[in-house]
Amino acid sequence: MATMATTATPNTTTPTKSAPLNLTPNAVAKVKEIMSQQNPVPAGLRVGVVGGGCSGFSYSMNFETSAGLMDKVYEFDGLKVYIDATSVVYLNGAVVDYVETLEGAGFKFENPNVKSTCGCGSSFSV
């Protein structure tokens, strides 16, 4: 009777949670820069989706002092990002960038879940 040898490698690290969205290095740097100018300095950034706007949903970004009860917490290069459980579904696969153009500067969301946006570009539908 043949025996099969298997080798198991113990998991010595905590599994990392895969974030539903990604912040580019430009976005992380800009958020950290703005946070450092706040008094008191916030614990992290809340990114979410809220109802409203011409098309049904809008993005929200606010500074937070701590995670809420239903929040998922992710880390990007030392920046804590809080996302509520409802927003996770709408932000899955999204990328947040900080761009500077001749027209202005700001955070730009690229979200594969968006089916259409409104004329002003500040809201979307899924």
Side-chain angles (χ1 to χ4, degrees):
M1 178 159 146
T3 60
M4 299 179 76
T6 59
T7 307
T9 306
N11 185 1
T12 57
T13 61
T14 306
T16 56
K17 293 186 276 185
S18 177
L21 83 160
N22 188 29
L23 272 71
T24 66
N26 278 348
V28 171
K30 190 62 176 181
V31 170
K32 285 181 172 180
E33 176 187 328
I34 296 169
M35 280 178 57
S36 71
Q37 298 167 1
Q38 306 297 308
N39 188 10
V41 174
L45 176 72
R46 173 173 301 285
V47 178
V49 173
V50 294
C54 321
S55 296
F57 296 100
S58 296
Y59 298 110
S60 68
M61 293 176 67
N62 302 299
F63 293 123
E64 279 292 340
T65 55
S66 64
L69 210 56
M70 300 300 289
D71 286 345
K72 304 289 184 188
V73 182
Y74 305 96
E75 194 166 309
F76 298 90
D77 193 25
L79 170 66
K80 286 188 180 175
V81 176
Y82 308 108
I83 304 174
D84 65 89
T86 303
S87 294
V88 165
V89 175
Y90 297 108
L91 293 171
N92 194 28
V95 176
V96 181
D97 194 9
Y98 181 77
V99 294
E100 294 180 7
T101 66
L102 292 174
E103 293 85 26
F107 292 95
K108 177 182 175 187
F109 282 77
E110 292 197 21
N111 189 338
N113 303 302
V114 170
K115 301 290 184 247
S116 65
T117 59
C118 66
C120 65
S122 64
S123 69
F124 63 96
S125 66
V126 291

